Amino acid sequence: MSAMTMLVTGGAGFIGSNFVHMVAQRYPDTRLLVLDALTYAGNADNLKGAGNQVELVKGSVADAGLVDKLCQEADTIVHFAAESHNDNSLRDPSPFVETNLVGTFTLLEAVRRHDKRFHHISTDEVFGDLAIDDPAKFTETTAYNPSSPYSATKAGSDHLVRAWVRSFGVRATISNCSNNYGPYQHIEKFIPRQITNLLTGRPAKLYGTGEQVRDWIHVDDHNDAVLAILERGRIGETYNIGADGEHSNKDVIELICELMGGTYEHVADRPGHDQRYAMDATKLTDELGWKPRYTDLREGLEQTITWYRENEAWWRDAKDAVEQGYAAHGQ
């Protein structure tokens, strides 16, 4: 992958910025074009220290002219850009339709015109949820059953990618990943919200009973898997990314409180809250030889807590507004 130009959409966001740092470190000859709308979830500071080969372009993935220009310059496009917060999608679905559906369509059309390699980042939430006591896991052939505007628009974008592969021969791959955590994650999200609550003297907050189960993966493991797919994945294929990290929300919040010496309280549950996600990453591990590094949630959380403690200036200004938004909904 050396000596190439890579366009990373959403590259100033949580997962995307971590990906940019990883690529810049591993492939110093790669030019990285980052397209990001710099909404509340994107932050130019996330790219500090990534290197001189990183160029940030502010703009929308739904801007056809800008997208066409950038795709023409790039050899490979990695599409992280998405509206991704479930609670926000329940309050106003329209940005999710614009970014996740129209934006992906716009990219696909540019990729088709210029015959570029395309990788689409998606989520396990397109599959809906599983019962708490169901031993099954999501595979690449699990039927889609999204339950929120967010997951429905991501499901739609996955279908667009597959259609463009089949109908137009676009050279694309898709990955569906479980819940990420790690540095640079916006403090509205579950794990960083709890960490920053405790760092600011607030109790951690648990939705409902906290019985819901998520399959947690450290962001560095996710991005390492994306690179494996870019380097060795088969065109037209979908790969599930997971690290066998199933834990209930209650278990996660109790571990955070244990590590930080804090307490938590129960708040109103999320409407339509999915019960359980679990990813079967057998195809990824068998075909591409990928393995996660952070197999112990405690180790990953310790690293993440340290990052938020040492980077208070990154999140402090947004904290009060985020908590006021949650409080307005009893959460």
Side-chain angles (χ1 to χ4, degrees):
M1 287 175 55
S2 296
M4 66 179 291
T5 297
M6 180 183 291
L7 171 62
V8 182
T9 73
F14 162 45
I15 306 177
S17 63
N18 280 283
F19 179 79
V20 169
H21 281 278
M22 181 176 285
V23 174
Q25 184 177 19
R26 291 188 185 180
Y27 305 99
D29 294 333
T30 293
R31 178 190 178 207
L32 288 153
L33 294 173
V34 173
L35 174 61
D36 200 293
L38 296 180
T39 62
Y40 77 97
N43 187 338
D45 288 344
N46 293 359
L47 299 173
K48 284 183 177 178
N52 294 329
Q53 74 265 46
V54 179
E55 177 185 342
L56 175 61
V57 178
K58 182 179 179 180
S60 167
V61 287
D63 181 338
L66 177 60
V67 164
D68 187 82
K69 174 181 177 295
L70 294 173
C71 285
Q72 195 168 4
E73 291 185 46
D75 301 293
T76 297
I77 294 87
V78 186
H79 179 32
F80 286 94
E83 291 284 346
S84 64
H85 192 47
N86 260 312
D87 289 334
N88 290 347
S89 80
L90 296 169
R91 295 165 194 162
D92 180 11
S94 58
F96 293 76
V97 173
E98 177 70 9
T99 299
N100 300 351
L101 287 171
V102 177
T104 301
F105 162 76
T106 302
L107 281 161
L108 286 167
E109 284 292 86
V111 166
R112 176 160 75 106
R113 277 190 297 273
H114 301 295
D115 188 24
K116 300 302 172 80
R117 172 77 167 90
F118 183 78
H119 182 70
H120 176 64
I121 307 292
S122 192
T123 171
D124 56 359
E125 296 192 38
V126 298
F127 301 121
D129 63 347
L130 298 162
I132 296 292
D133 57 356
D134 187 345
K137 294 187 176 185
F138 299 134
T139 72
E140 288 81 1
T141 59
T142 299
Y144 278 26
N145 187 29
S147 54
S148 72
Y150 159 59
S151 55
T153 54
K154 288 299 292 184
S157 66
D158 292 6
H159 290 319
L160 288 174
V161 175
R162 291 193 180 95
W164 261 244
V165 169
R166 181 164 178 171
S167 298
F168 307 118
V170 166
R171 295 182 289 124
T173 45
I174 297 172
S175 57
N176 295 84
C177 190
S178 55
N179 288 47
N180 280 231
Y181 70 97
Y184 298 109
Q185 188 171 27
H186 194 280
I187 56 173
E188 69 183 4
K189 298 290 191 174
F190 180 67
I191 285 179
R193 185 189 181 201
Q194 315 316 324
I195 293 170
T196 54
N197 270 8
L198 296 176
L199 288 175
T200 54
R202 299 172 169 93
K205 308 280 188 176
L206 182 62
Y207 283 133
T209 62
E211 294 175 355
Q212 296 87 358
V213 172
R214 298 294 179 262
D215 189 355
W216 293 100
I217 183 171
H218 193 282
V219 65
D220 288 346
D221 284 333
H222 178 190
N223 287 329
D224 185 60
V226 170
L227 284 173
I229 295 167
L230 283 169
E231 293 166 355
R232 306 187 295 278
R234 291 181 289 141
I235 296 299
E237 293 295 316
T238 297
Y239 295 89
N240 279 357
I241 302 175
D244 289 325
E246 285 189 65
H247 298 275
S248 73
N249 289 346
K250 185 173 184 288
D251 288 344
V252 172
I253 211 168
E254 288 181 346
L255 180 53
I256 292 171
C257 287
E258 176 193 331
L259 292 170
M260 299 184 68
T263 60
Y264 70 92
E265 64 185 25
H266 295 268
V267 295
D269 207 351
R270 171 188 288 160
H273 202 170
D274 284 347
Q275 291 301 297
R276 174 174 166 260
Y277 306 144
M279 296 293 270
D280 183 344
T282 301
K283 179 178 177 180
L284 176 69
T285 57
D286 286 355
E287 284 193 14
L288 307 185
W290 174 85
K291 291 182 180 179
R293 171 189 165 194
Y294 290 97
T295 55
D296 178 9
L297 182 64
R298 177 182 290 268
E299 179 190 358
L301 283 176
E302 286 174 341
Q303 184 254 22
T304 303
I305 290 166
T306 298
W307 189 90
Y308 280 92
R309 184 175 278 128
E310 293 178 351
N311 290 274
E312 183 175 338
W314 182 86
W315 55 264
R316 170 63 83 161
D317 288 348
K319 183 61 181 175
D320 288 344
V322 167
E323 290 309 309
Q324 287 168 12
Y326 274 115
H329 294 84
Q331 298 169 335

